[in-house]
Amino acid sequence: MRKKLFAELIGTFILVFAGTGAIMINDIAGAIGHVGIALTFGFVIVALIYSFAHVSGAHFNPAVTIAFWSMGEFERKNVFPYIFAQILGAVIASSSLYLLLNENFINVSEVSYLGATLPSGSLVQAFGFELIMTFILMIVICSSAVHGKATKDFAGLAIGLTVGLESMFAGPITGASMNPARSIGPAIISGNLENLWIYIIATILGSVFAALIFLKVFQSD
C-alpha cells in the first residue's frame, strides 16, 4: 500500500507541477500559449499513466478514485488514503512552484493564482462545464482501461488526449480542472478559495454519473 500511495502522491505532484507550472510560466514569459498549456496537461497524463498504472492504477484524481469505488472497482478502505496522497501531492507541487518562481512576480494574481482554476463566466456555466467534462473523461477512462474488451495498451493515450482536448477548448472558460486535487493545490497555497467548491462537487458528480452510465450501459457488453 505504501508504494501505491507514494505513486499517487508523486504522480499528482508531477501533474500539478507541470500543468500549473506551464500556466505560471506562460504568465511570466508569454512563451507557451493556451494550446501549449493544454498539451502540457495532456502529455503529462499520458506519461504518468504509462509510468504508474501498474503500481497504483494511476488515479491522480479524487473524483476518479471515488468513481472507481462507487462502481466496485476500488476498496472503500483505500479511498481516503488515496485522496489524501493526491491532495498532498498537489499542495507540495503548488508550494514548490511558489518557492521557485516567486522572484518573478509580486502578487500571486499575476500568475493566475499559481495556476488556479477560476470561472471566467457564471458559476452555473463553470459547474456545468466541469460536470460534463469530468463525465466525458471518466467515460473514456472506463471504456479504455476498465472494460473487459478494451485495448488497454492504448488507455494512457486515450485518457491523455481527452485531458488535452478538454483543456484546449474549455480552459479559457473554467480552467478545465476535471480533478479536485488539481484545483485544491493552487487554491490553498495562493489563498484563493473562492468558487473552489465548484471544482470539487461538479467533478465528483460528473465522474460518479459516468461510472453509473458505464455500468448500466457499456459494462454488460
Side-chain angles (χ1 to χ4, degrees):
M1 187 61 179
R2 186 180 303 175
K3 290 181 180 179
K4 293 180 179 181
L5 294 179
F6 186 71
E8 286 297 305
L9 187 153
I10 195 68
T12 312
F13 170 87
I14 294 170
L15 167 62
V16 176
F17 187 82
T20 63
I23 295 171
M24 293 175 67
I25 291 170
N26 186 63
D27 286 338
I28 292 167
I32 300 174
H34 168 61
V35 173
I37 292 169
L39 290 177
T40 299
F41 275 105
F43 288 163
V44 74
I45 285 292
V46 173
L48 290 173
I49 290 173
Y50 287 122
S51 298
F52 295 112
H54 63 288
V55 179
S56 68
H59 295 190
F60 316 127
N61 184 336
V64 170
T65 298
I66 292 170
F68 277 144
W69 165 71
S70 74
M71 60 194 293
E73 293 285 338
F74 195 71
E75 293 186 69
R76 182 174 63 179
K77 67 179 182 180
N78 295 333
V79 171
F80 178 76
Y82 259 54
I83 291 175
F84 180 80
Q86 293 156 359
I87 293 175
L88 181 59
V91 169
I92 294 173
S94 292
S95 300
S96 300
L97 287 167
Y98 178 83
L99 292 173
L100 289 169
L101 295 172
N102 71 83
E103 65 185 64
N104 297 98
F105 59 87
I106 297 173
N107 192 292
V108 290
S109 63
E110 298 173 31
V111 286
S112 303
Y113 293 95
L114 308 185
T117 46
L118 302 169
S120 64
S122 70
L123 300 187
V124 172
Q125 181 189 65
F127 192 96
F129 263 97
E130 287 296 327
L131 189 151
I132 293 171
M133 287 191 299
T134 314
F135 174 88
I136 294 170
L137 174 61
M138 193 66 204
I139 282 290
V140 171
I141 291 172
C142 290
S143 299
S144 64
V146 177
H147 197 288
K149 295 181 181 179
T151 307
K152 297 179 182 179
D153 289 345
F154 294 96
L157 188 60
I159 296 165
L161 287 173
T162 301
V163 171
L165 172 65
E166 295 190 315
S167 297
M168 200 172 295
F169 82 79
I173 299 295
T174 71
S177 174
M178 302 167 279
N179 182 339
R182 176 261 178 270
S183 294
I184 290 171
I188 288 177
I189 302 305
S190 71
N192 189 343
L193 302 175
E194 186 178 7
N195 300 322
L196 177 60
W197 65 272
I198 292 174
Y199 301 97
I200 297 174
I201 297 175
T203 54
I204 291 173
L205 288 177
S207 64
V208 170
F209 184 47
L212 177 63
I213 294 297
F214 174 76
L215 286 176
K216 296 294 184 182
V217 180
F218 300 110
Q219 182 72 317
S220 59
D221 291 347

